[in-house]
Amino acid sequence: MTGPLLEVEDLRKSYGDKVVLDDVNLVVNPHDVICLIGSSGSGKSTLLRCLNLLEEIDDGVIRFEGREISDPRIDPREVRSRIGMVFQAYNLFPHLTVLDNCTLAPRRVHGLGKAEAEARARELLAQFGLADKADAHPDRLSGGQQQRAALVRALCTRPRLLLLDEITAALDPELVGEVLTIVRDLAQQGTTMVLATHEMGFARELATTVCFLDEGRILEQGPPSEIFSNPREERTRQFLRRVL
């Protein structure tokens, strides 16, 4: 397609009297890697959930592939069939094997036959070092293996856009690297991603655009070299001094 893959205009979201997203504007082009950084509670996760229509927005417009998906008449399940999301807490179905977790959406949502869905899943599991875990249940996997399985599950639907919500936050430090390696490979393959992350080195290395969120606003955004080396806003400089 030509033009942006995703456009967000003047997005607002509140919980009661608390404004959590305030006039957010964002453009995601094909093959972009957009890294959302900022303190806990700045709105990163809520923004991702709004993009995947897991949260209703109060105002503004979200367009995906040129179509307004924030229209309440849109079927969110149809939109989510083309936008994959991976959560901090894995969210694998504990009663299903890894293979069944990965083939559920391709079969039920996309109508793939069992053999094709399983072949696609097994290929990705092998690529992510999980070929021998296909028949295991999630509780038999390490945290890093569960997060890799969650990434495979999201990729099995061949999404146009992948949303990643702090996917290393719940991992032991020695497991963070193995998951970031997978995400790095996806970026190098041209996967379009928007990810909330606390991994500043990763954002500096791979992002096409870094967005710094503060109190529900994107306070500034730009290429990593600009945001990390010469941020315009004092609040951005304070944040980076604290985390780098």
Side-chain angles (χ1 to χ4, degrees):
M1 64 170 291
T2 58
L5 182 65
L6 180 80
E7 296 174 278
V8 180
E9 294 180 4
D10 302 327
L11 189 152
R12 290 178 57 85
K13 172 68 181 176
S14 300
Y15 296 119
D17 294 333
K18 181 174 176 55
V19 177
V20 290
L21 294 172
D22 188 8
D23 290 332
V24 170
N25 291 274
L26 182 66
V27 174
V28 182
N29 291 303
H31 313 303
D32 274 352
V33 178
I34 309 291
C35 283
L36 310 177
I37 65 171
S39 303
S40 296
S42 59
K44 303 185 300 296
S45 294
T46 303
L47 175 56
L48 292 177
R49 291 177 64 84
C50 288
L51 298 183
N52 207 30
L53 307 187
L54 292 169
E55 298 279 358
E56 290 187 14
I57 67 173
D58 299 326
D59 200 4
V61 174
I62 304 172
R63 293 188 189 90
F64 178 60
E65 297 182 316
R67 183 175 63 149
E68 183 182 344
I69 61 171
S70 47
D71 186 322
R73 294 168 294 183
I74 289 290
D75 179 1
R77 293 170 298 180
E78 189 273 331
V79 174
R80 290 186 208 122
S81 72
R82 290 172 292 128
I83 300 178
M85 185 159 181
V86 182
F87 300 88
Q88 177 179 325
Y90 323 136
N91 288 8
L92 296 168
F93 295 112
H95 63 291
L96 299 179
T97 65
V98 168
L99 183 64
D100 288 340
N101 265 283
C102 293
T103 58
L104 186 65
R107 293 179 64 187
R108 292 195 177 180
V109 178
H110 292 259
L112 251 61
K114 180 180 179 182
E116 184 178 357
E118 289 191 354
R120 182 184 295 180
R122 288 186 185 279
E123 180 181 349
L124 283 166
L125 288 169
Q127 180 183 331
F128 286 19
L130 294 171
D132 60 337
K133 303 298 182 183
D135 297 320
H137 283 78
D139 64 355
R140 309 303 298 173
L141 274 60
S142 71
Q145 289 170 334
Q146 289 187 60
Q147 196 58 286
R148 280 185 279 152
L151 278 162
V152 170
R153 180 177 64 177
L155 291 169
C156 276
T157 60
R158 295 182 176 168
R160 295 295 313 280
L161 174 64
L162 189 59
L163 308 176
L164 307 177
D165 186 14
E166 302 283 12
I167 61 170
T168 61
L171 298 178
D172 292 334
E174 64 267 26
L175 300 177
V176 170
E178 69 179 54
V179 172
L180 290 182
T181 296
I182 296 295
V183 179
R184 184 179 290 108
D185 290 344
L186 291 173
Q188 291 169 350
Q189 292 164 18
T191 304
T192 307
M193 291 184 277
V194 180
L195 58 149
T197 184
H198 288 299
E199 303 291 337
M200 296 300 116
F202 182 78
R204 187 196 292 264
E205 173 192 355
L206 280 182
T208 53
T209 300
V210 175
C211 300
F212 173 64
L213 277 77
D214 185 56
E215 296 184 344
R217 287 178 170 268
I218 296 181
L219 199 59
E220 66 177 300
Q221 59 181 298
S225 57
E226 178 181 303
I227 297 298
F228 287 105
S229 301
N230 191 30
R232 299 186 310 275
E233 301 289 335
E234 175 57 27
R235 180 69 188 91
T236 313
R237 291 193 287 271
Q238 291 174 355
F239 172 78
L240 292 173
R241 279 197 298 268
R242 194 171 73 246
V243 299
L244 291 178

